[in-house]
Amino acid sequence: LPAAVACFEEVIHRSPDEADAWRMLGKCHCEGDEDDKAIICLEHSVERDPYCLDALLTLGVSYVNEMDLDRALKNLKAWVINNPKFCGLDVESAAMDPTANKLQEVENILKEALKFDPNDPDVLECLGVCYNVGRNYNDAVECLSKALAVRPDDYTLLNKLGATLANSNRSEEALPHYIKALKIKSKFSRGWLNMAIAHSNLRHFEEACRCYLQTLALNPKATHIWSYLRIALTLAERWDLLPLAGEQNLDAFKAHFSFVYM
């Protein structure tokens, strides 16, 4: 992932108006659990190519994750309006409900889009994310499971389903989905991070520490993960290792936990 980020940054340095490079750099940051950076890159991509469906959908989902629902609604509307699959859908009417909040407006648009194709994995994925944010976990699990039936080897979908299960106090069920995602893409740092959180929820604090360290080995720039690691070390009563976390000394942890630089 860091190598990919460096390559896309070099392309942008040479050609700052290259929309695809901005889009791919944003998707790399999404995988590295750096949503703030992802949003900046995806906004640059959409600014240069306002009709790129992949960038619009990814940006909309990122804003939903960040609970910035005004911008999420704007980008998801644009994704539907510019998508030939949904030609004829009245987006404004679909979103209109005087009693609805912004999240419900987004859900209403996606539900109408789903009528065009009930098995559209992109719509199901996005609707699953919205349900997850609204803590409607059962419907979120249903949507993401249907999307996975269409794209069974999509490691990002497996990760989202795992995160939804973990959010609904079903971390034990979440683990197999993370494991499958990481078998498909072992360097998926967001998957390692979510697996660490699931292990922490299950009070497997030593394994949670290992997964946090593996995440940092894959994406050293995700420095916010050090705070998660310090909490897990405290809960594991590994007081001796807290100074190493304070120093953010990843190499020093090799003597205590099994993780690899991939």
Side-chain angles (χ1 to χ4, degrees):
L1 193 65
V5 167
C7 289
F8 290 125
E9 287 177 341
E10 178 62 23
V11 173
I12 290 165
H13 177 73
R14 298 181 184 185
S15 305
D17 290 326
E18 182 59 56
D20 280 343
W22 281 112
R23 175 177 61 85
M24 291 304 299
L25 181 57
K27 295 189 85 164
C28 285
H29 286 313
C30 282
E31 289 203 9
D33 196 52
E34 295 183 277
D35 286 310
D36 52 343
K37 293 181 181 179
I39 285 171
I40 292 170
C41 296
L42 291 165
E43 283 285 8
H44 278 295
S45 177
V46 169
E47 181 182 336
R48 288 156 176 79
D49 182 4
Y51 303 105
C52 178
L53 298 178
D54 185 31
L56 288 167
L57 180 60
T58 307
L59 185 56
V61 172
S62 293
Y63 275 128
V64 171
N65 289 338
E66 292 293 293
M67 291 301 294
D68 190 337
L69 299 179
D70 286 328
R71 290 188 173 92
L73 184 60
K74 171 190 170 186
N75 285 283
L76 292 172
K77 277 185 180 179
W79 177 68
V80 173
I81 289 169
N82 294 311
N83 196 323
K85 289 193 293 185
F86 310 128
C87 182
L89 173 59
D90 186 343
V91 172
E92 295 302 327
S93 296
M96 193 174 296
D97 180 348
T99 65
N101 59 34
K102 291 295 183 182
L103 183 59
Q104 289 168 333
E105 288 184 21
V106 175
E107 290 175 5
N108 290 340
I109 291 173
L110 293 168
K111 287 175 185 176
E112 288 300 314
L114 204 57
K115 291 178 181 179
F116 286 70
D117 180 0
N119 296 311
D120 186 309
D122 290 331
V123 180
L124 287 165
E125 177 182 3
C126 198
L127 189 55
V129 170
C130 289
Y131 283 142
N132 196 17
V133 171
R135 299 185 180 181
N136 186 355
Y137 297 122
N138 289 336
D139 286 343
V141 168
E142 182 181 353
C143 284
L144 294 170
S145 297
K146 286 181 178 177
L148 272 169
V150 182
R151 296 201 304 246
D153 294 326
D154 186 329
Y155 60 92
T156 62
L157 267 176
L158 286 160
N159 177 65
K160 286 184 175 72
L161 178 55
T164 301
L165 290 166
N167 289 341
S168 57
N169 297 317
R170 297 160 67 184
S171 292
E172 195 74 53
E173 294 177 57
L175 288 176
H177 297 290
Y178 295 140
I179 290 168
K180 184 175 180 182
L182 292 168
K183 283 183 178 178
I184 294 168
K185 187 172 184 179
S186 60
K187 297 182 181 181
F188 182 32
S189 58
R190 195 162 204 155
W192 282 106
L193 174 60
N194 282 340
M195 189 153 70
I197 293 169
H199 278 300
S200 188
N201 291 342
L202 293 167
R203 305 187 66 80
H204 305 160
F205 299 123
E206 290 277 337
E207 184 61 14
C209 291
R210 186 186 75 83
C211 293
Y212 284 132
L213 290 163
Q214 184 60 70
T215 307
L216 285 162
L218 288 166
N219 187 17
K221 291 184 179 180
T223 54
H224 61 286
I225 294 170
W226 284 104
S227 62
Y228 303 161
L229 176 62
R230 284 195 294 272
I231 293 170
L233 288 169
T234 301
L235 292 170
E237 299 184 357
R238 296 300 304 269
W239 322 113
D240 55 317
L241 300 180
L242 286 173
L244 300 181
E247 297 165 7
Q248 299 189 0
N249 187 345
L250 189 60
D251 286 337
F253 278 98
K254 289 291 291 180
H256 305 277
F257 292 96
S258 176
F259 62 93
V260 294
Y261 295 98
M262 289 192 263

